[in-house]
Amino acid sequence: MARTRSVALVGVAGRTVEVEADVGNGLTGIHLIGLPDTALSEARDRVRSAVVNSHYPWPDARITVSLFPASLPKRGSQFDLAIAVAILGAAGVVPAERIADPVFLGELGLDGRIRPVRGVLPSVLGAAQHGEVTAVVPSGNAAEASLVPELKVVPVGHLRELVEWLRKGEEPPQPEAAEPAQQPQPETAGEVDLAEVVGQPVARRALEVCAAGGHNLWMLGPPGTGKTMLAERLPTLLPRLDLDHSLEVTAIHSVAGTLTSNAPMLSRPPFVSPHHTATTAAIIGGGSTVVRPGAVSLAHRGVLFMDEAPEFARHVLDALRQPLESGRVTVSRAAGSVTFPARFMLVLAANPCPCARAEDQTERCTCTPTVRRRYLGRLSGPLLDRIDMKATVARSSRRELLADRQFVETSETVAERVLLARDRAAKRLAGTPWRLNAEIPSAVLHSDYRPPAAAMQPMTSCLDSGTLTARGLDRVVRVAWTLADLAGKDSPGQEETHTALGFWLGVK
């Protein structure tokens, strides 16, 4: 009998699994127990072929492989390597004491090659929580696994290479430490700049405020006014992720299988722009057997841009309400519930009507008032109530475009102001679990960070008249704090609260 370890993923959290193999008397065959799924049940044939084709003897006996804890569902092919090593240890091919402590992850090919798998980073992060550990991973995942500090990574490319290392006890070559790499942004990554957007000074200002405070934005206007250009340039205004946030984001993309070999660690805020035909499962996350993160989780600590927002199904848009409030999303299936982090900045873009000429003075709109109301009515009131800022993006004349060119600023210039504003907010929020104004809960907002009475007067008047909801009041106060941080003030004044209220009401 021999015992080793592997890791099972539950969402983006890794849980250590003990893999025990017993070679004994009985009818020849291999039996897997411990709630394996179909992919894991097929590991019996993959493991046997890999061992035989690596020129090691296969035990001609009854082999029982147990995965503990038995109550935890095990899915995927990442257990192949641990199962093979446990069987070889029970058969005496490798020393059983050498395989007891390391964690083994990897999928086996029929010829013995060890192939990369998804979710290596969250898996080794979960294993490393229990102290110093050695992780044996496929060579293709070595850079990703080496991101975890104080973790000994053993990269292997073939089962025979691993067995010889276990037999001889020699130190394997260590992978080079992975450097944080910038995640690819939309098509023109590295080339887009805020200075390219001319004629929309209000929208550019709204973008800066959103970047400084982590707020949500809705842009309304006809085609060709720069809504998509503005949204794609929002990530260029955001600072690089902190190490803990970077590992968190990278773990999500590792589970989703979107990491590239040349970018094992994401240090830039992600930008996710799903098509308007996306389903609820694609946006929120889901799956019939293996639950995968959706767009809201892939945009964690970054930007989720929904272009042509009214074209999305209404139930898809309303599904965003819960993660916008809590910063996480829980996907429930018959096998259990999985929680993914989902704290993102939502940017919505919409035309004023289906024909997109409602505000165009050169051509007549063909949509009736009923059609316009029904079109924009797909964005429900509760969803828009969770949008901090609303900006109208109108078409600019030639003179306006020429006049605005002298006022445009590069992304680098605006990003410096954003970073200073975020530093002011971080100092004010020191000692709390929040880093941005958008993250401050309502109770704390109105107790520890309530603006002066004079500054609150415009908002309380709107609250009394019914123009502003209680949730809207919270969001206006948060935006006012961000405006104060950008202005270098210690607290918001009437100027900041008036501006924040105008942004929330959508006043141009």
Side-chain angles (χ1 to χ4, degrees):
M1 182 174 175
R3 179 185 294 108
T4 188
R5 297 191 297 168
S6 189
V7 181
L9 279 177
V10 181
V12 290
R15 294 187 58 181
T16 303
V17 173
E18 288 190 5
V19 181
E20 298 176 314
D22 177 68
V23 178
N25 297 325
L27 188 63
T28 301
I30 178 172
H31 305 274
L32 285 176
I33 57 177
L35 287 183
D37 70 343
T38 302
L40 185 51
S41 297
E42 293 173 349
R44 294 174 294 188
D45 299 322
R46 290 195 299 271
V47 169
R48 186 182 188 281
S49 296
V51 171
V52 172
N53 290 330
S54 298
H55 308 292
Y56 295 111
W58 182 259
D60 187 17
R62 178 185 176 88
I63 304 172
T64 303
V65 177
S66 174
L67 307 176
F68 175 84
S71 58
L72 178 68
K74 290 63 169 200
R75 301 181 177 91
S77 58
Q78 69 268 23
F79 295 95
D80 288 5
L81 190 58
I83 293 173
V85 169
I87 293 174
L88 291 174
V93 178
V94 297
E97 64 276 6
R98 288 271 293 159
I99 65 174
D101 292 329
V103 171
F104 294 88
L105 295 168
E107 177 182 333
L108 284 173
L110 299 184
D111 58 354
R113 285 181 297 173
I114 302 176
R115 294 170 174 166
V117 292
R118 293 182 176 184
V120 165
L121 177 59
S123 296
V124 295
L125 276 172
Q129 291 177 354
H130 303 288
E132 186 177 349
V133 68
T134 299
V136 179
V137 300
S139 298
N141 294 126
E144 182 183 344
S146 63
L147 296 173
V148 181
E150 299 181 1
L151 176 74
K152 183 179 179 181
V153 178
V154 180
V156 289
H158 197 279
L159 181 61
R160 189 168 188 85
E161 174 188 347
L162 173 61
V163 171
E164 294 306 312
W165 170 67
L166 291 171
R167 280 178 166 178
K168 299 176 182 178
E170 298 176 353
E171 287 293 328
Q174 292 296 301
E176 296 182 1
E179 293 292 335
Q182 181 174 350
Q183 183 204 18
Q185 298 292 350
E187 299 177 359
T188 55
E191 301 177 5
V192 297
D193 196 281
L194 189 61
E196 299 168 349
V197 183
V198 183
Q200 301 298 343
V202 175
R204 291 201 306 270
R205 174 62 172 170
L207 216 64
E208 179 181 347
V209 176
C210 288
H215 305 293
N216 304 318
L217 175 65
W218 178 37
M219 293 181 288
L220 178 67
T225 53
K227 300 187 297 295
T228 302
M229 288 181 66
L230 285 162
E232 289 179 347
R233 281 145 184 81
L234 179 55
T236 65
L237 309 182
L238 302 175
R240 299 175 74 90
L241 297 172
D242 297 334
L243 179 59
D244 55 341
H245 288 172
S246 184
L247 289 174
E248 193 178 24
V249 171
T250 305
I252 297 172
H253 285 258
S254 176
V255 171
T258 59
L259 288 181
T260 57
S261 57
N262 61 343
M265 186 174 183
L266 306 182
S267 62
R268 297 291 303 174
F271 180 89
V272 180
S273 180
H275 193 262
H276 64 263
T277 57
T279 63
T280 305
I283 299 296
I284 301 300
S288 56
T289 55
V290 180
V291 179
R292 300 293 185 193
V296 295
S297 297
L298 294 176
H300 181 59
R301 304 294 179 186
V303 180
L304 176 63
F305 175 50
M306 305 185 77
D307 199 7
E308 306 293 346
E311 299 294 342
F312 284 81
R314 180 158 186 167
H315 64 274
V316 173
L317 293 170
D318 285 340
L320 296 172
R321 288 150 55 179
Q322 185 263 337
L324 282 174
E325 288 291 329
S326 63
R328 61 182 181 275
V329 60
T330 301
V331 181
S332 298
R333 294 293 183 267
S337 298
V338 176
T339 299
F340 295 106
R343 187 165 296 281
F344 56 92
M345 297 167 56
L346 176 64
V347 179
L348 302 175
N351 296 322
C353 67
C355 77
R357 291 179 293 190
E359 296 181 5
D360 189 354
Q361 311 232 343
T362 61
E363 298 182 41
R364 184 178 177 182
C365 175
T366 58
C367 301
T368 64
T370 303
V371 171
R372 297 179 195 175
R373 286 195 301 269
R374 186 182 299 119
Y375 181 72
L376 292 179
R378 298 177 188 175
L379 302 175
S380 65
L383 175 62
L384 292 180
D385 205 32
R386 290 167 168 83
I387 303 299
D388 306 73
M389 306 174 65
K390 306 171 183 71
T392 301
V393 185
R395 289 183 178 174
S396 303
S397 65
R398 181 177 63 87
R399 289 185 177 181
E400 289 173 333
L401 291 173
L402 292 175
D404 190 46
R405 288 189 183 277
Q406 59 182 320
F407 299 106
V408 296
E409 297 175 298
T410 64
S411 293
E412 183 180 0
T413 301
V414 179
E416 291 177 359
R417 293 200 299 267
V418 168
L419 184 59
L420 290 175
R422 287 198 172 203
D423 288 341
R424 289 182 64 89
K427 291 177 182 177
R428 184 175 61 253
L429 298 173
T432 71
W434 316 295
R435 304 187 188 185
L436 298 175
N437 292 321
E439 300 174 358
I440 305 174
S442 177
V444 180
L445 190 68
H446 292 288
S447 58
D448 300 339
Y449 303 104
R450 186 177 180 85
M456 289 291 295
Q457 195 275 329
M459 294 179 285
T460 54
S461 298
C462 289
L463 193 63
D464 293 337
S465 64
T467 309
L468 190 65
T469 64
R471 181 188 290 115
L473 174 65
D474 295 343
R475 296 191 175 274
V476 172
V477 173
R478 294 185 183 109
V479 173
W481 271 109
T482 301
L483 290 168
D485 290 333
L486 285 169
K489 297 182 179 180
D490 293 332
S491 64
Q494 278 200 358
E495 181 182 354
E496 285 73 35
T497 54
H498 272 294
T499 305
L501 185 60
F503 272 125
W504 191 85
L505 294 174
V507 178
K508 185 176 178 180

